[in-house]
Amino acid sequence: DAVRSLEIFNQQFGPYPFSEFDVVSTNTSALGVEYPGIVAILMDLYRDNSDLPGVLRESVVAHEAAHQWFYSVVGNDQVDEPWLDEALAQYATLLYFAQTQGNAGETGFRQSLERRWQRVNSEDIPIGLPVRDYTPQEYGAIVYGRGPLFVEALAGEMGADTFAGFLRDYYRHNQWGIATGAGFKTLAEEHCQCDLTPLFEEWVYPKQDGG
């Protein structure tokens, strides 16, 4: 899972910059936790007698591996703009399943994202809020569920090839720095030569009170 993830993300986003990547199974309160160059994966996901499905381990490993690009190399404010790394890591996991399992795998993971969002009745809560503005249920449903669906919608708006080029440039442009949502939008608009404000207003930005 980890090797395939690195191969796919190297191709999709740009080269993994370290000589080593470690996956450690351990007891943790989360399914997985990312660190630069190393990720911790819940030990139960590797137990032969576990009730947890194998595809869950695969998705967790891919998600945490994707954080090596979006969190480690391209940093962001994880408290005020958590979508910038979590939604992109989830979208990267969608790409992983599309590459490894074809349409069936891609559809299956997309449906899992939609089910996450449905935990809050698919409400159009913005994905771009700080952590403190979500309830715990909203955080998982919106940042991890609706967030990657926004990235997929953005790819559809920009066109697949243009969006792929944008992500590679975003990774290159922001290496070893702190990316922002505003910078993400500006660079995307430079690549598509289009106005993405309506899409960001629909998905990302907090709704403005009328009047």
Side-chain angles (χ1 to χ4, degrees):
D1 302 345
V3 171
R4 285 187 295 178
S5 295
L6 293 183
E7 290 173 347
I8 289 168
F9 301 152
N10 267 324
Q11 180 184 30
Q12 293 284 342
F13 310 131
Y16 178 72
F18 307 117
S19 61
E20 184 174 343
F21 179 60
D22 297 314
V23 178
V24 178
S25 64
T26 185
N27 290 319
T28 172
S29 60
L31 292 172
V33 183
E34 73 275 12
Y35 304 94
I38 184 171
V39 298
I41 306 297
L42 179 65
M43 188 177 294
D44 286 351
L45 290 173
Y46 288 96
R47 296 188 191 278
D48 292 337
N49 61 349
S50 174
D51 293 332
L52 299 172
V55 70
L56 178 60
R57 183 194 67 234
E58 198 169 357
S59 68
V60 171
V61 171
H63 174 95
E64 303 306 341
H67 272 307
Q68 302 306 308
W69 280 260
F70 307 115
Y71 149 80
S72 176
V73 176
V74 177
N76 63 285
D77 188 327
Q78 297 170 284
V79 173
D80 283 340
E81 290 191 302
W83 75 273
L84 271 179
D85 65 285
E86 296 297 355
L88 285 174
Q90 286 286 74
Y91 177 75
T93 306
L94 182 67
L95 296 180
Y96 167 87
F97 280 109
Q99 289 278 335
T100 60
Q101 299 182 18
N103 289 335
E106 180 182 12
T107 299
F109 189 72
R110 183 184 297 107
Q111 289 173 343
S112 78
L113 301 176
E114 292 168 347
R115 286 194 298 270
R116 272 184 176 269
W117 189 13
Q118 287 165 4
R119 295 175 188 173
V120 292
N121 300 314
S122 302
E123 293 185 22
D124 61 347
I125 300 169
I127 70 168
L129 300 179
V131 174
R132 62 183 172 274
D133 287 352
Y134 296 109
T135 67
Q137 184 179 32
E138 288 172 346
Y139 181 71
I142 298 302
V143 175
Y144 289 78
R146 191 180 189 223
L149 295 173
F150 159 71
V151 180
E152 187 177 49
L154 179 62
E157 179 75 15
M158 294 177 64
D161 291 343
T162 300
F163 181 75
F166 153 67
L167 271 189
R168 288 191 293 271
D169 195 25
Y170 174 77
Y171 176 67
R172 181 191 60 79
H173 182 76
N174 291 288
Q175 280 190 352
W176 316 120
I178 303 298
T180 66
F184 180 92
K185 176 177 180 288
T186 297
L187 188 61
E189 289 179 330
E190 289 177 5
H191 275 262
C192 70
Q193 292 296 296
C194 62
D195 180 9
L196 295 172
T197 298
L199 194 70
F200 273 70
E201 288 180 342
E202 178 184 355
W203 291 84
V204 182
Y205 299 144
K207 302 297 184 288
Q208 302 297 315
D209 293 332

